[in-house]
Amino acid sequence: MQKATLNPTPDQTFELVGEGPYDFVRILRHSRRMQAEGDVEGACNERFHAFQRLAELLPEDEEVILEWSHPNSRAALEVVHASAIDHFLVNDFELSAALLELLLELDPEDHLEGCELLAFDYLAMDEQELFDETINDLSDKSAARELLLLWAGFRRDGRLPEGELLRFRTRFAPYFAEFAAADHPADAAYLTDIESEHPSLAAQARELWLRTENLWVLWPGFVEALRRAAGCK
């Protein structure tokens, strides 16, 4: 099997150089093509096996930060992130979290914003201390952060915390409306909007719903409480 090397840079990062099974640019592109063609399971397997090969390369006793500006290193990070999303969507929150924890070790600057998904993973696993640590890494301007705080309060007390609810429905009104709505179609109008250069807040809100919909299937009481708060029957 062809091997790969981790070449140090003057910036105390590493460039992951490799071919064949370690050409992460090709692997990422191929997995996306498979998914677009309908082979979702094949794409997920491609990404996870690529992650496994990457993990085997990493030394156990040395910190490795991959160079974001290096194409193959960046693609490797993107593969790990994509595989974490794959596992999140099938409710394997533990493995998703493990992938994201590795991602943040390899990319402490969190270019891919893995902390957000990691917070959802921790809360789904009821890892409250880890959730509390991670939520602080999310911006106060993030709708996902407010949603997470709302859900955390609901999971803890069985009701929506008033302060977080007020902020969510005022500061993030399109998100509140989306999460309280009965339908969330990924229709042509939505796809055109979200793929545009400047997607609307309504489209971004629907994207957040669609990215986390599996959670609300598992914990429907939270969304039902939001709908009651919005006056929906």
Side-chain angles (χ1 to χ4, degrees):
M1 179 181 289
Q2 293 163 294
K3 295 295 184 180
T5 57
L6 289 165
N7 296 338
T9 75
D11 296 323
Q12 297 184 320
T13 60
F14 289 84
E15 293 180 350
L16 175 54
V17 178
E19 298 178 352
Y22 300 98
D23 182 349
F24 289 96
V25 173
R26 180 194 61 78
I27 292 165
L28 185 64
R29 183 171 58 244
H30 180 57
S31 71
R32 286 172 174 168
R33 183 168 61 248
M34 292 172 71
Q35 186 157 335
E37 293 172 351
D39 187 4
V40 176
E41 183 178 357
C44 293
N45 289 335
E46 179 94 350
R47 290 188 283 259
F48 185 62
H49 293 153
F51 150 72
Q52 291 177 310
R53 292 192 297 274
L54 172 63
E56 291 171 357
L57 283 174
L58 300 173
E60 295 182 2
D61 56 352
E62 182 180 359
E63 180 185 53
V64 172
I65 297 175
L66 293 181
E67 177 55 51
W68 178 254
S69 64
H70 181 250
N72 200 52
S73 303
R74 177 172 178 166
L77 295 170
E78 291 180 291
V79 164
V80 176
H81 185 242
S83 189
I85 294 172
D86 293 338
H87 287 89
F88 172 81
L89 291 174
V90 296
N91 303 328
D92 190 344
F93 306 117
E94 186 172 354
L95 187 48
S96 177
L99 285 159
L100 291 167
E101 288 165 355
L102 175 63
L103 178 68
L104 292 170
E105 291 177 12
L106 297 173
D107 178 32
E109 292 187 27
D110 194 16
H111 290 90
L112 296 169
E113 299 182 351
C115 274
E116 180 183 300
L117 184 59
L118 184 57
F120 279 108
D121 279 325
Y122 284 152
L123 196 50
M125 294 189 295
D126 202 23
E127 292 284 357
Q128 192 63 50
E129 290 186 11
L130 292 172
F131 170 77
D132 290 342
E133 294 173 8
T134 306
I135 196 70
N136 292 327
D137 293 326
L138 301 186
S139 168
D140 290 342
K141 298 179 181 179
S142 164
R145 182 181 190 275
E146 205 62 50
L147 177 68
L148 281 158
L149 290 171
L150 259 178
W151 187 34
F154 185 81
R155 292 207 67 187
R156 183 178 60 248
D157 302 324
R159 58 184 177 83
L160 299 172
E162 293 182 4
E164 283 78 5
L165 177 60
L166 178 62
R167 281 193 295 274
F168 194 54
R169 72 188 306 168
T170 54
R171 292 183 58 190
F172 303 100
Y175 290 84
F176 177 75
E178 182 66 36
F179 275 74
D183 298 307
H184 315 270
D187 52 19
Y190 161 73
L191 293 173
T192 299
D193 192 342
I194 200 65
E195 292 170 3
S196 67
E197 185 176 355
H198 300 289
S200 67
L201 287 175
Q204 293 176 55
R206 183 158 302 174
E207 181 187 41
L208 181 58
W209 167 273
L210 294 171
R211 285 196 286 114
T212 57
E213 186 174 10
N214 59 306
L215 295 175
W216 320 130
V217 173
L218 292 174
W219 289 280
F222 173 64
V223 175
E224 291 167 2
L226 284 175
R227 297 194 73 215
R228 287 194 299 271
C232 301
K233 295 182 179 180

